[in-house]
Amino acid sequence: MDALRGLRADVRLPGAGRRGAQRTGVMTRPDPSERYDVALLGGHLATGMLGAVLARQGLRVLVVAAPGDRTEVSGETTVPYTSEVFMLLAHRFEVPELAAFGRFPDLPAGLRRGSGVKRSLGFLYHRAGAVHDPEESIQFNVPGEHTEWHPFRPDVDRYAVRLAEKYGAAATSSDDELVDAWVEPDGNGAPAGRVETSGGHVYRARFLVDAAGTDSPLVRRNGGDDAEPRLRHRSAVLTARMHDVTPFEELVDASRYPKASLWSRGTVHHLFEGGWLQLAAFGNHEDSRNRSTSVTLSLDPAALADLPSDPGAAFHTVVDRFPDLKRQFENAVPVSWRVAPLVQRTAARTHGEGWFAFERSAARNDLFLARDVTTSAELVHSLAAALIPAFADGDLSPGRFERAARFQHELAAFHDSWIDGARTACADFALLNAFSRVWLLWQILADLSLKRARLDCKVAAARGRADWSPVERFELGGLWFQAPAGLRETIAFTMDRLAQVRAGLIDPRSAADDVFGRLRTADFVPPLYAFGDPGARIYRFTLPKRLQMLWWVKTKAPSDFRRLLTRDNVTSVSTRSSR
């Protein structure tokens, strides 16, 4: 709770001329007699960020706590690209605190003490009955100047809602949480939102954004979830926070992993045919006061049917097949278990007159590869970019939100293709090795490309011209900004090879060879990590590699890649090329 104390001060911020700005920095109690502009259903990271953005821009905002805030499984890892999306939100919507979400040292002390650091991203491939082979490991190390983290979501979700309150939003407490919500005509026939809460109140708002999650009232009233999710991937997910999880580096002979850094100082993925186990430690730095570890086991749903019904017994049935995992968890104590026999779901409809199903209410999928937190930030950006001008124009018709709804769907499909590809890649380490390089390449170039687009917007603003179009190319889907030529094609090529493996048309080793071959010959692929070399499995951004990268940029890089690293973006070489 220390992280929340600083948000109660009355702070004078820029933009005092906007409607609602007189409330900025003042905690506001929910008022049933008020007619809010926007009511956000659900009190968590996504709604907190969106509430802060909208309130900062002068809208009257209500954040309504929902039962799913306590039960919905949420992502607890970030990647470099996540940080750049936070930076965009902070600069575009003038909420500087959001930039700190991308820089662990800048966070309030309370959040840092409860959350973990992320110095690396590790993939360890396991085979049933065998000790781990160091030759089947991959580790992407983060340079010292970059600061990713493992957000402890109970603290971070509360902090985000308090941040919205700081900027003038009102927020209900857990004893006044969501019961139902609907849209009905007002006296003039215009749509009017209503939100009923457990405290016996009915709040009014011109527009409802439903991010309540699985029990979304507006999704339920508008066709419910699709009977068959519009996602390819299928997974059963067991999650827990555990104490006393033994760090992997304490279980194995460190001399057999000579170039690897401490695995527990980053996000660790134990992978095996048919699934994976993700670990994000919160107590992995000296200032931590949280000794728990986020543990997520993802399996093919068919496999869950053959396991014990008790989640703890099911978990150990799986991990005990692998000797090193059995030892890692033999003393672990779970704090709680959550089980989703099928985590995938999509809403049949995601927007209509006076409402929008947002983030976890619109779609849910596996939490693998740090997409949950990242997608939340991306969706806040796209919906805020639609809501703010819609209110300014006085036009809240469904057509104003069609683009945001389509982008939300495309992001879900993009994430789905990556994690479904990862599940296929788990059939063989060679294919996983190749897949991980393409994923890393995407992360690096997406981050650099978004930063370049944001800086283009900044240059336009300095010249007196507001132009956010470089960061609003939502029609491009998952890569919603200009990226170096060849990146989209290489991703598509990799996904095609994975699809052929799934269909039994080629074997995993042949697919891996094809992907590595593509990486070796593509002219836009930087040489700093030898992406096309299957043996380059431990990635560390050393000074020689920095110099190699700069030389390549100056002499051989394609012009659209070189543009990413012009003078006002050159510092990103050291912070964005490490994964």
Side-chain angles (χ1 to χ4, degrees), residues 41-61:
L41 311 185
H44 45 78
L45 177 61
T47 53
M49 290 192 296
L50 182 59
V53 164
L54 298 179
R56 177 67 184 86
Q57 298 302 311
L59 299 183
R60 295 185 297 270
V61 177

Side-chain angles (χ1 to χ4, degrees), residues 400-422:
R400 294 297 295 260
F401 305 99
E402 177 62 34
R403 192 180 186 213
R406 188 165 54 249
F407 176 63
Q408 183 169 246
H409 171 74
E410 290 297 325
L411 271 186
F414 187 63
H415 172 46
D416 183 55
S417 68
W418 279 107
I419 57 174
D420 195 50

Side-chain angles (χ1 to χ4, degrees), residues 194-405:
R194 300 290 185 264
V195 182
E196 180 184 358
T197 63
S198 59
H201 302 117
V202 175
Y203 296 100
R204 301 178 302 156
R206 294 174 64 191
F207 197 88
L208 303 181
V209 175
D210 186 338
T214 305
D215 297 322
S216 157
L218 289 170
V219 170
R220 184 180 67 246
R221 289 173 173 271
N222 290 276
D225 287 342
D226 291 312
E228 187 65 24
R230 287 172 289 162
L231 301 166
R232 182 189 302 147
H233 189 64
R234 295 290 183 270
S235 58
V237 174
L238 289 76
T239 62
R241 292 195 178 92
M242 296 187 182
H243 293 162
D244 302 325
V245 176
T246 304
F248 186 75
E249 60 269 17
E250 296 180 11
L251 299 170
V252 296
D253 182 355
S255 66
R256 300 179 67 212
Y257 302 80
K259 297 181 180 180
S261 59
L262 297 179
W263 297 95
S264 64
R265 296 271 285 176
T267 308
V268 177
H269 299 94
H270 296 294
L271 304 109
F272 44 86
E273 187 170 6
W276 49 69
L277 178 65
Q278 176 179 284
L279 308 182
F282 302 116
N284 62 358
H285 59 101
E286 60 184 13
D287 295 328
S288 175
R289 300 295 182 269
N290 182 351
R291 64 189 182 96
S292 65
T293 296
S294 173
V295 179
T296 303
L297 175 64
S298 174
L299 303 167
D300 186 301
L304 187 65
D306 298 328
L307 298 175
S309 58
D310 176 74
F315 176 84
H316 282 286
T317 298
V318 174
V319 300
D320 287 358
R321 297 170 184 166
F322 309 99
D324 292 312
L325 297 187
K326 181 178 181 179
R327 291 192 298 135
Q328 185 166 27
F329 289 95
E330 62 185 357
N331 296 317
V333 179
V335 177
S336 61
W337 281 106
R338 295 176 187 172
V339 181
L342 178 65
V343 73
Q344 284 71 32
R345 46 171 292 272
T346 54
R349 288 183 61 197
T350 57
H351 72 299
E353 289 283 352
W355 68 279
F356 192 97
F358 177 65
E359 202 235 11
R360 61 186 60 186
S361 288
R364 292 299 275 167
N365 209 332
D366 206 298
L367 304 178
F368 193 51
L369 297 177
R371 285 297 297 170
D372 187 57
V373 175
T374 307
T375 300
S376 296
E378 291 175 305
L379 293 176
V380 168
H381 176 251
S382 64
L383 187 54
L387 274 169
I388 293 166
F391 271 96
D393 297 341
D395 177 11
L396 298 175
S397 61
R400 294 297 295 260
F401 305 99
E402 177 62 34
R403 192 180 186 213

